[in-house]
Amino acid sequence: MLNNCEKNECLTFLETGLNALEKINWYGETVFTCPICGYDKANAKRIKTPNNIRNKVTWLYCEECGMLFHG
């Protein structure tokens, strides 16, 4: 189980990545600055699966520190 500091880092990373996607109207691919390590080319990507309006695949990834969210 993660301690509170790690949980807060995860939530901050998630919020920052989702804010980056919001700036591009939620779909496509963009970069953002990782709030954990400061790497300025963390990736955010969200796609819609064809023929399934509810299935939206999202990736948030920082190559520098290895933070990853997928869902």
Side-chain angles (χ1 to χ4, degrees), residues 26-54:
W26 293 106
Y27 293 100
E29 189 168 1
T30 188
V31 295
F32 64 99
T33 300
C34 177
I36 309 304
C37 69
Y39 183 60
D40 64 350
K41 293 183 181 159
N43 295 306
K45 182 177 181 180
R46 190 166 198 219
I47 61 169
K48 243 192 243 189
T49 304
N51 301 323
N52 192 346
I53 197 163
R54 292 182 162 224

Side-chain angles (χ1 to χ4, degrees), residues 11-71:
L11 291 175
T12 301
F13 181 82
L14 181 60
E15 181 179 21
T16 304
L18 292 177
N19 286 338
L21 287 171
E22 183 177 31
K23 289 178 184 177
I24 62 165
N25 295 318
W26 293 106
Y27 293 100
E29 189 168 1
T30 188
V31 295
F32 64 99
T33 300
C34 177
I36 309 304
C37 69
Y39 183 60
D40 64 350
K41 293 183 181 159
N43 295 306
K45 182 177 181 180
R46 190 166 198 219
I47 61 169
K48 243 192 243 189
T49 304
N51 301 323
N52 192 346
I53 197 163
R54 292 182 162 224
N55 191 7
K56 299 166 184 84
V57 182
T58 304
W59 293 271
L60 305 173
Y61 178 64
C62 179
E63 185 177 310
E64 190 70 21
C65 68
M67 187 68 77
L68 170 68
F69 280 94
H70 178 266

